Amino acid sequence: MDFVFHVFFPLLIVLALWAAYAIVRRTRERRTAWESGLTARARVVRAWITVQMVNNVARRIQWHEYDFTTTNGMAVRFKESGGPPSREAGDETLVYYAGDEPDKATASEPGPGKDMFRTVLGLGVLGVGIIICTNMMVQYW
């Protein structure tokens, strides 16, 4: 039982903190790409679906790999989850990118409000999980 409270819960807390950092980092990357004003026509190199089983329920995640050229002639290729399932290899779409980090581009339409809502919701869920784990650890000690 000591293992759960001395090792497992602290690892869960560290994992939740890392997930929170990843959520905030990607939100900032997308916002920077949208606000830069730089866009390019990109070609979908490939599209695929991954399936995750969560509580015996299949969760499909659509992935796309894009290829585009920046305004200064640099070729960039990046992968992004999400996006419409109708988008297939060979299709063209508009991508948004920041001039200093074109590899952090996004092909999703600008939606800062929706993106911020998802970020706040994700951070809230992770925060509640951290609080619960911390309270349980403190009660055990």
Side-chain angles (χ1 to χ4, degrees):
M1 194 63 151
D2 288 344
F3 172 79
V4 171
F5 293 103
H6 292 292
V7 176
F8 186 67
F9 279 5
L11 284 177
L12 279 177
I13 291 171
V14 169
L15 182 66
L17 290 172
W18 176 82
Y21 167 75
I23 289 172
V24 170
R25 183 189 71 225
R26 184 58 186 153
T27 301
R28 293 184 76 162
E29 289 171 356
R30 289 165 54 104
R31 183 171 295 255
T32 301
W34 289 330
E35 291 175 352
S36 73
L38 298 172
T39 60
R41 296 299 300 170
R43 183 177 56 88
V44 179
V45 177
R46 67 184 181 130
W48 69 98
I49 296 172
T50 58
V51 178
Q52 290 180 334
M53 294 300 289
V54 179
N55 296 330
N56 291 328
V57 176
R59 180 175 176 240
R60 298 167 41 106
I61 301 171
Q62 181 75 40
W63 285 86
H64 296 97
E65 186 172 0
Y66 300 97
D67 193 15
F68 72 97
T69 304
T70 62
T71 54
N72 61 0
M74 186 170 78
V76 178
R77 183 173 284 191
F78 72 97
K79 297 175 189 172
E80 185 175 45
S81 65
S86 61
R87 194 175 288 163
E88 297 178 0
D91 291 351
E92 286 196 4
T93 188
L94 188 66
V95 295
Y96 302 85
Y97 68 96
D100 55 340
E101 292 182 313
D103 58 323
K104 307 281 196 258
T106 182
S108 64
E109 292 294 321
K114 190 165 112 177
D115 212 35
M116 189 55 64
F117 175 76
R118 289 179 182 166
T119 301
V120 170
L121 181 64
L123 292 177
V125 168
L126 290 170
V128 167
I130 289 171
I131 290 170
I132 289 170
C133 286
T134 304
N135 283 339
M136 292 179 75
M137 284 176 20
V138 168
Q139 287 176 2
Y140 178 75
W141 289 346

